[in-house]
Amino acid sequence: MKNEHPTIRVPARYCGPPASANGGYVCGLVADAIGQLVTVRLLKPPPLDSDMGVVADADGTWHVEQDSQRIVEARPASLDDLVLPATVSYTDALAASRHAPWSDPAQHPCPGCFVCGPLRAAGDGLRLFCGAVEGTPVVATGWTPDASMVHADGRVSPELIAAALDCPGFQALQTGLKPWLLGEYTCRIDRRVAAGERCVIVGWKIEVKGRRSIVGTALHDEAGKLCALAKGVWIEPREPIY
């Protein structure tokens, strides 16, 4: 771990549901604090504007806690076995996005979400609306990162890349607009993209078992080179959650 007892904090801007953090963003913060690729399991809604401690456990895993309550757990991971579908062009990704159902705030299950919320203004939220790409098994959208989302080196921060690959996994389920819950998430970043760089995000289903679905997401640059990939486990709740 980079630091013995690092602290992470999620500003209110990076919400998912109204009163909690975006899951992908939190997972990105946790992985960056630990300093290696991990699978993060979300146990409770991560709070906003609150310090959370990242703790190394004796068995080689980690957990994040607030007021002695475990919020997430993390374990070492690998994505070497993740099989990626072919990406699509930036033009086709934008075309798919225009047909996505997520842009209607009256229908969206979480319209204020930093990643996929249609109520978020351009430059404030990511506004990532993946739509089905005809003749392929993927959903896709184009993404051009805003200048407010980069570090001093001009590259998008790891936690924002992890966030950008979160909700497209939910959208890849193509189960309508009902909400699902992110249960586990693993994100590997090969290259941090730059502000103003035209990118493509694709999502696809890997496995569906009842109320539990596994999805993959990937971020490519405009030339088609892989920059980041992720795998998420999504759970369909038994009862309404928002």
Side-chain angles (χ1 to χ4, degrees), residues 39-200:
T39 292
V40 178
R41 182 185 181 200
L42 293 124
L43 305 176
K44 296 179 180 295
L48 298 166
D49 289 328
S50 298
D51 289 338
M52 294 177 282
V54 182
V55 181
D57 296 317
D59 62 356
T61 63
W62 302 265
H63 71 272
V64 176
E65 62 181 28
Q66 182 200 37
D67 297 332
S68 299
Q69 288 195 353
R70 290 196 175 209
I71 307 299
V72 305
E73 296 174 342
R75 62 184 186 273
S78 170
L79 288 177
D80 292 344
D81 62 345
L82 185 62
V83 179
L84 277 67
T87 187
V88 302
S89 71
Y90 182 76
T91 299
D92 287 347
L94 288 181
S97 181
R98 285 193 289 270
H99 298 290
W102 319 104
S103 58
D104 182 358
Q107 300 295 323
H108 196 291
C110 192
C113 175
F114 169 73
V115 177
C116 67
L119 290 181
R120 303 298 289 263
D124 175 42
L126 300 186
R127 296 180 56 84
L128 296 177
F129 312 131
C130 287
V133 180
E134 187 175 355
T136 79
V138 306
V139 297
T141 186
W143 180 38
T144 303
D146 183 82
S148 69
M149 300 173 185
V150 300
H151 284 169
D153 63 0
R155 301 284 173 177
V156 179
S157 61
E159 62 270 19
L160 287 177
I161 292 176
L165 290 179
D166 172 5
C167 296
F170 161 64
Q171 295 167 356
L173 296 173
Q174 300 190 63
T175 55
L177 295 168
K178 60 185 178 182
W180 286 55
L181 294 171
L182 181 64
E184 291 189 350
Y185 190 67
T186 311
C187 181
R188 191 188 84 197
I189 300 172
D190 297 336
R191 179 177 77 83
R192 290 165 50 221
V193 295
E197 185 174 353
R198 299 207 301 186
C199 305
V200 172

